[in-house]
């Protein structure tokens, strides 16, 4: 990274960091859709493969468009290095496969993306990885769960769908005392709102599919951190293959240019919607870190720039909290908001976690983690706030 890059403000890094230009002098970064790269002669090929000479060889190893994306995201997160992956899930997989071995142990938050739970408990467990799930918001539980063979602490903050928040700096200290690395899935906030490495975390995971793209177009992911820590993660990716395509990297490069303006606008709409929801007769409870009523509001406002863009709430049924019928009626009464489980899109999206994203979790486990049958999650988009509210008039009567 150049000195100039280090002096730039975050908004400027979004637009400018990582850009490289070909001999054609294009202003918008080029997409290098090529699987391999050619050499001048046999000696150059040998030197590239042998590592004596830097440069591209094959797009599973490196690709110039992917490198530009990695360098831009690394600049934004303040990370030494970034490796891009084919999806958010392959970022998590690469992180664990690179750093852990059979018999190692991971402590993970109970409130993580449903597929991440499946990856840890159904797939990685078959390869001898031990996993303990604990409550995101109870530091003592993390301290008690750590073992001699614990390699990673794994969290999402704010969590999905209840937007619980943990104190990243406190958890980093507990992880380091236990000889483990703290991994933060920073998908909900992005570096525009939260910088986990500055707070002591060791590794950041991204599903670029969400706010980094910002328009619901492509799947992708990234792992960020120190070079020596990520060396085996890159080694896994380069060998096993779930790397990012040049086309997707280009889409994410363009998405990152508007990251700050988008996250500010998403956050303004989300706060306004959360406040409006708190005043509606059919809403029992609102979950949004930007509200004073949120249990970890103070921590959230210390480590996040805003409350983020995800708002969840319990719909009342017959005056009581927690009915699936009322939740489904609300969803079916919307005309504009997209009924889909994705998030991080310019379009607002609405989902019923109990019967979609968390339907594979047992009813008991769902109840234990507070995901009731009346819970609705809205990923607040960039439409005018009054149009979003008008689509939810079901709640007002
Ligand atoms: C979507 C998501 C993932 C998985 O990302 P994909 O790109 O869908 O593979 C991981 N973590 C969080 C928090 C997510 O929201």
């Amino acid at each position: 990274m150049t000195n100039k890059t280090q002096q730039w403000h975050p908004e400027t890094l979004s637009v400018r960091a990582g850009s490289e230009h070909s001999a054609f002098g294009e202003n918008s970064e080029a997409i290098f859709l090529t699987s391999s790269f050619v050499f001048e002669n046999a000696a150059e090929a040998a030197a590239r493969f042998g590592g004596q000479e830097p440069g591209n060889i094959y797009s599973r190893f490196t690709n110039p468009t992917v490198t530009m994306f990695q360098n831009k995201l690394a600049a934004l997160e303040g990370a030494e290095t970034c490796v891009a992956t084919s999806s958010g899930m392959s970022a998590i997989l690469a992180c664990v496969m690179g750093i852990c071995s059979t018999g190692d142990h991971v402590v993970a938050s109970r409130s993580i993306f449903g597929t991440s739970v499946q990856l840890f408990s159904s797939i990685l467990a078959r390869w001898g990885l031990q996993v303990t799930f604990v409550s995101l918001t109870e530091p003592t539980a993390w301290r008690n769960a750590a073992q001699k063979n614990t390699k990673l602490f794994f969290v999402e903050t704010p969590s999905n769908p209840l937007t619980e928040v943990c104190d990243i700096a406190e958890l980093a200290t507990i992880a380091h005392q236990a000889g483990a690395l703290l991994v933060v899935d920073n998908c909900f906030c992005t570096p525009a709102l939260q910088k986990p490495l500055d707070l002591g975390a060791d590794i950041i995971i991204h599903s670029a599919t969400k706010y980094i793209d910002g328009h619901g177009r492509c799947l992708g992911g990234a792992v960020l951190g120190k070079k020596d820590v990520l060396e085996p993660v890159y080694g896994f990716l380069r060998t096993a293959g779930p790397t990012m395509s040049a086309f997707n990297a280009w889409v994410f490069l363009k998405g990152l240019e508007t990251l700050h303006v988008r996250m500010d606008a998403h956050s303004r709409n989300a706060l306004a919607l959360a406040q409006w929801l708190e005043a509606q007769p059919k809403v029992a409870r609102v979950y949004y870190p930007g509200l004073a009523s949120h249990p970890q509001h103070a921590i959230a406002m210390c480590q996040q720039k805003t409350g983020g863009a995800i708002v969840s709430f319990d719909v009342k049924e017959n005056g009581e909290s927690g009915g699936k019928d009322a939740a489904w009626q609300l969803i079916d009464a919307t005309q504009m908001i997209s009924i889909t489980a994705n998030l991080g899109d310019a379009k607002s999206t609405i989902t019923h976690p109990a019967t979609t994203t968390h339907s594979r979790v047992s009813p008991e486990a769902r109840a234990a983690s507070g995901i009731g049958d009346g819970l609705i999650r809205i990923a607040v988009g960039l439409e005018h706030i009054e149009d979003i509210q008008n689509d939810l008039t079901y709640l007002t009567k």
Side-chain angles (χ1 to χ4, degrees):
M1 231 180 281
T2 63
N3 287 335
K4 197 156 117 198
T5 307
Q6 282 163 6
Q7 286 160 13
W8 278 335
H9 294 87
E11 294 79 0
T12 311
L13 291 174
S14 276
V15 179
R16 296 281 175 179
S19 286
E20 305 272 352
H21 303 284
S22 82
F24 291 111
E26 69 283 350
N27 190 34
S28 174
E29 294 76 5
I31 315 180
F32 291 93
L33 282 177
T34 178
S35 34
S36 73
F37 298 82
V38 294
F39 312 107
E40 287 294 323
N41 48 49
E44 190 184 62
R48 288 267 177 97
F49 272 85
Q52 295 90 355
E53 185 190 282
N56 299 294
I57 297 172
Y58 189 59
S59 283
R60 174 154 39 77
F61 307 165
T62 58
N63 171 282
T65 314
V66 177
T67 301
M68 286 190 266
F69 164 72
Q70 292 174 158
N71 290 344
K72 193 188 280 292
L73 189 57
L76 285 165
E77 287 284 14
E80 244 176 58
T81 196
C82 169
V83 283
T85 61
S86 59
S87 69
M89 290 320 301
S90 57
I92 300 171
L93 177 69
C95 178
V96 176
M97 294 300 265
I99 293 171
C100 300
S101 302
T102 297
D104 283 342
H105 177 241
V106 172
V107 188
S109 161
R110 207 171 277 140
S111 311
I112 55 175
F113 189 61
T115 316
S116 304
V117 176
Q118 300 288 323
L119 178 67
F120 280 118
S121 54
S122 312
I123 296 180
L124 292 169
R126 279 203 282 123
W127 298 90
L129 189 80
Q130 300 172 24
V131 189
T132 307
F133 291 100
V134 299
S135 161
L136 177 66
T137 56
E138 288 168 32
T140 345
W142 290 81
R143 203 172 277 120
N144 294 341
Q147 307 173 3
K148 274 210 185 69
N149 55 345
T150 305
K151 286 280 160 50
L152 303 174
F153 276 22
F154 189 96
V155 299
E156 278 168 31
T157 178
S159 72
N160 181 15
L162 291 173
T163 73
E164 294 165 293
V165 170
C166 74
D167 185 332
I168 295 175
E170 183 182 23
L171 211 55
T173 306
I174 298 172
H176 298 157
Q177 282 166 352
L181 300 172
L182 175 62
V183 184
V184 176
D185 183 331
N186 202 25
C187 173
F188 271 34
C189 275
T190 81
L193 304 184
Q194 173 171 275
K195 308 255 315 266
L197 297 180
D198 290 353
L199 299 164
D202 302 284
I203 295 173
I204 292 174
I205 297 285
H206 271 293
S207 166
T209 315
K210 313 295 167 52
Y211 294 101
I212 290 177
D213 176 352
H215 303 78
R217 297 165 292 197
C218 286
L219 271 81
V223 190
L224 298 103
K226 288 216 166 71
K227 270 208 178 77
D228 58 338
V229 175
L230 292 201
E231 195 55 47
V233 176
Y234 170 65
F236 170 80
L237 284 165
R238 160 186 177 125
T239 306
T243 49
M244 182 178 281
S245 81
F247 181 82
N248 288 14
W250 180 81
V251 170
F252 298 136
L253 261 178
K254 296 287 117 189
L256 279 178
E257 288 183 358
T258 56
L259 182 71
H260 287 84
V261 280
R262 284 190 287 105
M263 293 315 289
D264 285 348
H266 276 295
S267 302
R268 266 196 310 280
N269 266 358
L271 178 61
L273 184 68
Q275 288 167 338
W276 179 83
L277 285 168
E278 272 196 322
Q280 301 313 314
K282 280 214 186 77
V283 175
R285 183 171 168 194
V286 183
Y287 306 85
Y288 182 67
L291 291 176
S293 59
H294 189 280
Q296 296 97 32
H297 176 65
I299 304 167
M301 292 301 99
C302 277
Q303 69 188 20
Q304 300 174 208
K305 186 178 165 198
T306 72
I310 311 290
V311 180
S312 294
F313 54 98
D314 284 315
V315 182
K316 270 188 201 163
E317 193 165 83
N318 308 321
E320 305 271 320
S321 175
K324 182 193 119 183
D325 291 348
W328 278 27
Q329 279 168 29
L330 164 70
I331 290 178
D332 292 346
T334 60
Q335 312 251 304
M336 177 190 76
I337 301 175
S338 308
I339 306 170
T340 175
N342 198 23
L343 58 98
D345 199 304
K347 299 183 175 87
S348 292
T349 64
I350 190 165
T351 191
H352 181 240
T355 52
T356 59
T357 53
H358 291 70
S359 58
R360 288 197 207 169
V361 181
S362 71
E364 298 76 31
R366 266 205 309 274
S369 52
I371 301 169
D373 286 347
L375 188 76
I376 292 283
R377 186 196 75 193
I378 296 185
V380 187
L382 301 177
E383 304 93 345
H384 195 286
I385 182 63
E386 286 171 14
D387 296 325
I388 298 172
Q389 288 163 357
N390 288 340
D391 211 31
L392 300 168
T393 46
Y394 173 88
L395 298 168
T396 62
K397 285 164 238 149

